[in-house]
Structure formats: C-alpha cells, structure tokens
C-alpha cells in the first residue's frame, strides 16, 4: 500500500463534511480489523484507510492546517501502513481501574514481544514491536504498542489461499490465543501480496 501524501488528505472543512456522511462506514471498517485477545488486549490492524482516518482525526482535533504539522503527522503514521508482506497493528492494553492497570503493566513487561500470529500449517510469526522507539521501562510496559507481523512467501500464499489464522500471546502473565474470525481474516488478507 502506498504511503499517504498531502494530496490524499482533505481540508478540515471537507473532512468534517465527509465524516458526517461516512462515519458509520469508517467505524465498520475499523471494527472489521479489530481483534480482542482476552479481556485486556486489543489489536487494531491498520491499513491505508485506518491510517488516513487517524491522520485526519489528529488534524481535526489538533486543528493542524500548516504544512509542517501535516507532514509531521504523515511521518508519524505512514510507517503503520502494511507494505504487502506484513500486517501492522496498534496494540492496546486496557484496564478500566487505574490501580489494576498500573499493577498489570508492571507484570506485562515484554508482552509486545510475545504476541504472535499463526497461519494454519505454518510456524508462528512473533511481532516486531515498537520499531520507532522503546515504549517500556524497567518498571512497566506501555499501554500502547505498535506491532509488525512479517510473513514469508509460503505464509502469504497460505493466507491468500484461505488458511485459518490464530492470534496469540505466550507471555507468562497473559497466555491467550484465539482463532481470528473468517470475516476479519478476509479484511486482513487484503494487506497481503503473493
């Protein structure tokens, strides 16, 4: 998928009008690419459309209209667009209670490195996490991480042929795995090229 440029973005006024007409469609697209792993980890698999929406929202909320500010947002978010050999996701660790969140983030150090995708008949692919900067300290992990799952040619071929897919985590303090729903896999497979 091609990176977004200034010409792909709408003015704040045009985006406001577009959002009124298209918000349900944008939410449905994002929902089709969201996978919950247990009660406390959510992966939002990104694509060009989700990233464009994110950038437009940042520009709208922050009222950014100057070229340098727009370019800064493009530079920050373009690396999250898959490039045909991978899936990229924003991982959210969510605990409603602040004290529980603080305690669990301390227990989940390195959880981002223990996330995996397993394509049916293929070995697990572990996430490459936070390539832009380290998001944890010696005391705790961050509640937000950016993940890349890089697939080999045989894995991509299996995905394109309709293989089932599991998402999981083998961190000692958060062992979870699920089968990704077929309709979600169908959305994610659009990010893959043979």
């Amino acid at each position: 998928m091609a990176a977004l440029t200034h010409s792909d973005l709408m003015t704040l006024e045009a985006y406001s009008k577009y959002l009124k007409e298209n918000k349900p469609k944008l939410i449905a697209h994002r929902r089709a690419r969201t996978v919950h792993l247990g009660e406390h980890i959510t992966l939002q698999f990104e694509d060009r459309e989700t990233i464009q929406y994110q950038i437009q929202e940042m520009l709208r909320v922050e009222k950014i209209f100057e070229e340098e500010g727009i370019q800064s947002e493009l530079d920050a978010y373009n690396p999250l667009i898959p490039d045909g050999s991978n899936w990229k996701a924003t991982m959210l660790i969510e605990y409603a209670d602040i004290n529980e969140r603080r305690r669990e983030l301390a227990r989940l150090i390195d959880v981002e490195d223990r996330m995996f995708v397993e394509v049916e008949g293929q070995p697990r692919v572990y996430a490459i996490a936070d390539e832009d900067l380290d998001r944890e300290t010696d005391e705790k992990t961050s509640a937000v991480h950016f993940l890349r799952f890089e697939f080999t040619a045989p894995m991509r071929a299996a995905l394109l042929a309709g293989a089932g897919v599991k998402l999981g985590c083998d961190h000692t303090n958060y062992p979870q795995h699920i089968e990704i729903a077929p309709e979600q896999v169908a959305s994610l497979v659009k990010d893959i090229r043979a």
Side-chain angles (χ1 to χ4, degrees):
M1 294 182 191
L4 293 162
T5 66
H6 285 258
S7 64
D8 295 311
L9 301 176
M10 295 173 247
T11 64
L12 296 180
E13 295 82 8
Y15 178 66
S16 180
K17 181 179 178 185
Y18 174 83
L19 193 57
K20 285 178 188 172
E21 298 169 3
N22 293 283
K23 192 166 188 175
K25 182 183 114 189
L26 293 167
I27 290 170
H29 180 73
R30 185 172 281 279
R31 188 174 299 125
R33 300 178 64 84
T34 300
V35 179
H36 300 282
L37 184 62
E39 292 182 43
H40 302 289
I41 291 183
T42 301
L43 268 67
Q44 170 60 59
F45 286 92
E46 307 294 0
D47 68 358
R48 198 169 192 272
E49 188 174 333
T50 65
I51 294 302
Q52 182 167 1
Y53 175 66
Q54 182 64 37
I55 292 172
Q56 292 283 178
E57 279 296 297
M58 290 300 295
L59 298 178
R60 181 181 69 82
V61 169
E62 300 292 329
K63 300 196 180 353
I64 299 170
F65 57 89
E66 294 178 358
E67 191 167 325
E68 306 81 40
I70 294 169
Q71 189 60 51
S72 177
E73 296 300 324
L74 287 166
D75 292 344
Y77 287 103
N78 265 327
L80 297 176
I81 299 174
D83 62 17
S85 67
N86 51 45
W87 288 345
K88 296 184 180 181
T90 302
M91 182 177 94
L92 307 169
I93 303 172
E94 303 168 303
Y95 289 89
D97 179 77
I98 191 165
N99 293 319
E100 182 182 18
R101 181 171 51 244
R102 187 177 298 119
R103 182 181 68 246
E104 293 305 313
L105 291 177
R107 294 180 68 235
L108 292 173
I109 291 174
D110 294 328
V111 69
E112 67 278 10
D113 297 319
R114 306 310 310 159
M115 299 296 297
F116 65 84
V117 168
E118 190 173 328
V119 178
E120 184 180 359
Q122 301 291 321
R124 288 180 176 174
V125 173
Y126 282 88
I128 300 164
D130 301 326
E131 294 177 277
D132 58 341
L133 61 100
D134 195 11
R135 289 188 162 72
E136 69 181 22
T137 67
D138 292 337
E139 290 83 36
K140 69 177 185 70
T141 192
S142 173
V144 178
H145 294 278
F146 299 102
L147 310 180
R148 175 169 57 97
F149 297 97
E150 195 65 42
F151 300 113
T152 64
M155 291 171 186
R156 293 193 307 272
L159 283 167
L160 293 168
V165 183
K166 288 181 183 173
L167 173 69
C169 176
D170 61 13
H171 190 282
T172 304
N173 295 322
Y174 201 85
Q176 298 280 335
H177 71 276
I178 61 158
E179 189 83 24
I180 299 178
E183 60 274 11
Q184 291 174 311
V185 173
S187 179
L188 299 177
V189 166
K190 294 174 185 174
D191 301 344
I192 299 295
R193 291 190 302 267

